Amino acid sequence: MSIDEHKELINAIHEITEIAEGFGLDFYEMRYEICPADIIYTFGAYGMPTRFSHWSFGKQFHKMKLQYDLGLSKIYELVINSDPCYAFLLDSNTLIQNKLIIAHVLAHCDFFKNNIRFSNTRRDMVESMTSTAERVAHYEHLYGKKEVEHFLDAILSIQEHIDPSIMRPKLNYHLDADETELEKKATPYDDLWDIDGSNEKKAKPKPSSKRKIPPQPEKDILLFIEEYSRELDDWQRDILSMMREEMLYFWPQLETKIMNEGWASYWHARILREMDLTTDEVIEFAKLNAGVVQPSRTSINPYYLGLKIFENIEECYNDPSEELIKQGVKKGDGRSKIFEVREIESDISFIRNYLTKDLCEKEDLYLFQKQGKDYRITTKQWEEVRDQLVSSRVNGGFPYITVNDGDYLKNGELYLEHHFEDIELDLKYLEKVLPYIYDLWGRAIHMETVVESKPVVYTYDGKGIHKRNL
C-alpha cells in the first residue's frame, strides 16, 4: 500500500466513523490492521489473532487458504469482539472494498457492545487467549505434546456442550471424598438469589447419601466434568476450564449469526450511500454488496435473511398497521425499533417474532429434502418454514444433551441424555466421541437417544460400544 493509498484509507476511516456515529451506532474504540492473506487466514482458522496450538486449526487453515488460492472464496476482513475492537483488513483489498468493510465491522462492533447476548462476554479475550496459549505450551513442555494434544482432542469433541445462560445462578456442588453427598458452596452473592429471605426461613437439610448428582439435569457438560471427574489431574482441569471459557466467549456469536450479519449488512449499505463515491466506486460497491447479500436456492445466507428481516421491521414500524397502532406504535418508529431489536433479541426470537408471512412469501422461502436421488421442495407453508428455521438455531444448532446422572448404577458412571427433537444424532460421530468422554470421566459413559423412533442407549466401557433398546 502506497503512502497516498494509506492516507486515503485513514480519511475514509474518519469519514465512515463520523457517519456511523451520526446514525446512532455505538461501538468501542476501533483498531485496524492491514494484513497479508497468510495472516488473515491464520486468524480465520484459529478464530482469534492468538490461540493455543492444535492440529484442527492447521487443517482449517489449509482448507481456507486453498480455496483462496484457487479463487473459490475470499476473506476480506476479520473483526474481534473486544474492547478496543480489532479489525483486520486484507492487504489486497481495493479502497472501496475497505470502505465497505470498515462500515461493516463498525456495525458488528455496535452489535457486540449492545446486544444482550454479549453482555457477559469478556472484552479482554485477546489477552486471555494469549495467556491460555502460553499455559498450554507450558503443559506440553511438562507432560509432552502428544499427551496434551490428545486431551485437547477430547475437550474439543464436546466443546459446544456448555450452558451460556445469561442469568444462570452459580450454584456449585462438590462430591465428598468419603461419602456420596452434595453440599452447596457458599458465594458472596448468595443473597441475590434469596430476595424474599426464604432460605433463612428453611432449616438447612441434612446431607443425604441418596441425593442425586446432579440434582437436576445439567446442560453444562464441560463444567460438570471439570468439577466431578475423578480422572483429571490439576493441569487437565486447568486446560478444561480455559477451553470452556473460550467457548463461552464464542457462544453469543453462534446464537446471533443471522442477526449480527444482517445488522452489519444493513448499515454498511446505508453508510456508503452517505459518502461521495466516484462512479467506478459505485459500480464496484454494487457488485460487492450484491455478492454479500445474494440469496441462495439451497441454503440460508445469514447476511441476506438478517438484512431482509431488519428492513421488513423498519418498513412495518415506519408505516404501522392498525394492530401495531393499537399497541402504541407511531408512524416513523422503524429506526428506533430495529435498534431495540438489535439489543434484546437472539436469532431464535428474531426469526420467531419477525419472520412474517408476507416476508416468507415475498422471498419465496421453502423447505426441501432429498427424495431418492433428487432434492424436492416439501412445503412453502410459512409457519413450517419459520419453525424449521427456529429449530435449526436452538442451542446454536448443536444437539441438546444433558448430564442426568453422574453416579449411574452407583458406580460413578456417567449417564447422558440427548433431548430428541426429530433430528437423530450422527451415530458415526457419536461412536467416535464417546471414547473421548470416557477419557475425561474415567468410567463408563451412557448416552440415551432416539434412533428410528425408538429410545436406545449407547454405552462405552473403555473396551467397546454397546447398544441396548429401552
Side-chain angles (χ1 to χ4, degrees):
M1 180 178 291
S2 68
I3 296 176
D4 289 340
E5 289 174 333
H6 187 265
K7 287 181 179 178
E8 285 185 304
L9 180 58
I10 296 297
N11 291 335
I13 290 173
H14 290 314
E15 183 180 1
I16 292 169
T17 301
E18 184 177 344
I19 294 171
E21 290 174 337
F23 275 126
L25 296 182
D26 174 27
F27 37 81
Y28 298 116
E29 175 190 349
M30 297 295 302
R31 295 183 180 177
Y32 300 93
E33 296 284 346
I34 308 295
C35 302
D38 284 353
I39 299 300
I40 286 281
Y41 282 87
T42 298
F43 292 172
Y46 279 76
M48 292 289 280
T50 304
R51 211 169 174 201
F52 63 93
S53 176
H54 190 257
W55 63 265
S56 62
F57 300 140
K59 178 182 177 181
Q60 183 67 10
F61 170 82
H62 178 73
K63 177 182 177 181
M64 295 168 66
K65 186 62 167 58
L66 181 63
Q67 290 179 331
Y68 169 77
D69 291 339
L70 296 176
L72 301 176
S73 67
K74 180 179 179 180
I75 295 179
Y76 292 95
E77 50 77 26
L78 285 173
V79 59
I80 306 300
N81 171 27
S82 59
D83 182 11
C85 186
Y86 295 91
F88 302 91
L89 313 179
L90 189 61
D91 62 359
S92 60
N93 288 344
T94 64
L95 180 60
I96 186 60
Q97 286 175 340
N98 278 332
K99 287 179 179 179
L100 183 150
I101 290 164
I102 292 162
H104 194 86
V105 299
L106 283 175
H108 273 315
C109 186
D110 169 88
F111 195 92
F112 293 148
K113 184 177 180 180
N114 294 283
N115 182 267
I116 186 65
R117 296 288 164 176
F118 290 84
S119 59
N120 288 339
T121 57
R122 293 183 57 172
R123 306 297 180 177
D124 63 344
M125 207 59 185
V126 174
E127 293 79 8
S128 177
M129 287 188 177
T130 300
S131 175
T132 294
E134 293 173 351
R135 285 157 69 181
V136 170
H138 176 66
Y139 291 136
E140 289 177 342
H141 177 72
L142 292 178
Y143 304 104
K145 186 174 181 64
K146 186 175 180 180
E147 178 76 13
V148 173
E149 185 173 84
H150 180 78
F151 185 69
L152 287 171
D153 289 344
I155 299 173
L156 295 176
S157 71
I158 57 170
Q159 65 177 335
E160 298 88 6
H161 297 285
I162 58 173
D163 189 351
S165 302
I166 296 173
M167 295 298 294
R168 180 180 182 178
K170 295 182 179 180
L171 300 179
N172 297 319
Y173 296 85
H174 71 271
L175 181 63
D176 190 279
D178 300 317
E179 301 178 21
T180 309
E181 66 180 36
L182 294 170
E183 296 177 3
K184 179 182 174 183
K185 293 182 181 179
T187 75
Y189 309 105
D190 287 348
D191 59 314
L192 296 178
W193 307 103
D194 185 30
I195 297 174
D196 61 358
S198 58
N199 288 346
E200 295 181 6
K201 302 172 187 176
K202 298 177 182 178
K204 185 177 180 180
K206 294 181 180 180
S208 171
S209 60
K210 297 181 180 180
R211 199 164 178 183
K212 190 178 178 183
I213 309 170
Q216 295 86 32
E218 173 58 62
K219 181 180 184 298
D220 201 323
I221 298 177
L222 288 189
L223 180 61
F224 188 85
I225 291 175
E226 177 190 337
E227 295 197 350
Y228 286 96
S229 174
R230 300 175 176 88
E231 187 72 12
L232 302 182
D233 294 328
D234 288 344
W235 69 270
Q236 294 173 314
R237 291 186 198 279
D238 186 34
I239 290 180
L240 181 52
S241 176
M242 292 186 290
M243 296 302 100
R244 179 175 174 271
E245 190 73 24
E246 289 192 4
M247 197 61 210
L248 285 170
Y249 167 82
F250 286 117
W251 191 267
Q253 298 178 43
L254 299 176
E255 290 185 302
T256 60
K257 176 69 173 179
I258 293 172
M259 282 188 72
N260 202 342
E261 296 298 357
W263 184 252
S265 300
Y266 174 97
W267 283 111
H268 79 228
R270 279 148 185 80
I271 290 172
L272 262 67
R273 288 174 192 166
E274 298 295 314
M275 300 183 71
D276 185 18
L277 303 179
T278 66
T279 302
D280 289 343
E281 285 182 324
V282 169
I283 294 172
E284 187 177 354
F285 165 70
K287 292 179 180 178
L288 288 169
N289 188 57
V292 170
V293 299
Q294 65 180 338
S296 169
R297 292 187 300 173
T298 58
S299 62
I300 291 295
N301 179 349
Y303 298 81
Y304 181 79
L305 181 60
L307 169 65
K308 291 303 176 182
I309 294 177
F310 273 119
E311 288 181 337
N312 190 59
I313 294 170
E314 185 174 33
E315 181 180 333
C316 290
Y317 279 76
N318 275 339
D319 186 16
S321 63
E322 291 185 6
E323 183 180 351
L324 288 176
I325 292 174
K326 290 179 182 179
Q327 297 174 16
V329 176
K330 298 178 181 179
K331 191 171 184 178
D333 278 356
R335 186 58 57 84
S336 62
K337 180 61 179 179
I338 63 171
F339 272 93
E340 175 191 309
V341 170
R342 169 270 265 151
E343 183 177 353
I344 66 175
E345 308 288 2
S346 66
D347 279 349
I348 291 176
S349 58
F350 183 61
I351 295 170
R352 184 176 57 230
N353 296 335
Y354 300 107
L355 183 59
T356 63
K357 177 182 179 181
D358 289 343
L359 184 58
C360 275
E361 292 177 350
K362 180 181 178 182
E363 298 302 327
D364 194 26
L365 298 180
Y366 53 82
L367 299 179
F368 69 95
Q369 65 181 26
K370 191 171 185 179
Q371 296 179 349
K373 295 182 179 180
D374 301 319
Y375 286 91
R376 299 186 183 278
I377 295 175
T378 56
T379 182
K380 287 191 174 185
Q381 291 294 322
W382 79 275
E383 296 99 334
E384 294 185 40
V385 173
R386 178 201 60 195
D387 293 346
Q388 180 61 40
L389 281 170
V390 169
S391 296
S392 71
R393 303 305 302 150
V394 171
N395 198 41
F398 298 100
Y400 193 101
I401 297 173
T402 58
V403 177
N404 283 15
D405 196 342
D407 191 26
Y408 184 60
L409 300 178
K410 302 301 179 184
N411 194 35
E413 299 177 11
L414 190 64
Y415 194 97
L416 307 174
E417 179 184 358
H418 168 224
H419 296 258
F420 181 73
E421 295 178 344
D422 297 325
I423 300 178
E424 293 185 2
L425 293 177
D426 183 332
L427 298 183
K428 290 184 179 179
Y429 188 82
L430 174 65
E431 291 177 359
K432 292 181 180 297
V433 169
L434 288 181
Y436 279 131
I437 304 176
Y438 178 90
D439 290 342
L440 296 173
W441 187 250
R443 302 195 183 190
I445 308 298
H446 309 268
M447 173 72 78
E448 179 181 336
T449 185
V450 174
V451 177
E452 297 179 348
S453 302
K454 298 178 181 179
V456 298
V457 174
Y458 285 85
T459 297
Y460 181 77
D461 58 6
K463 299 178 181 178
I465 293 178
H466 313 283
K467 174 186 173 184
R468 64 182 174 88
N469 296 322
L470 292 179

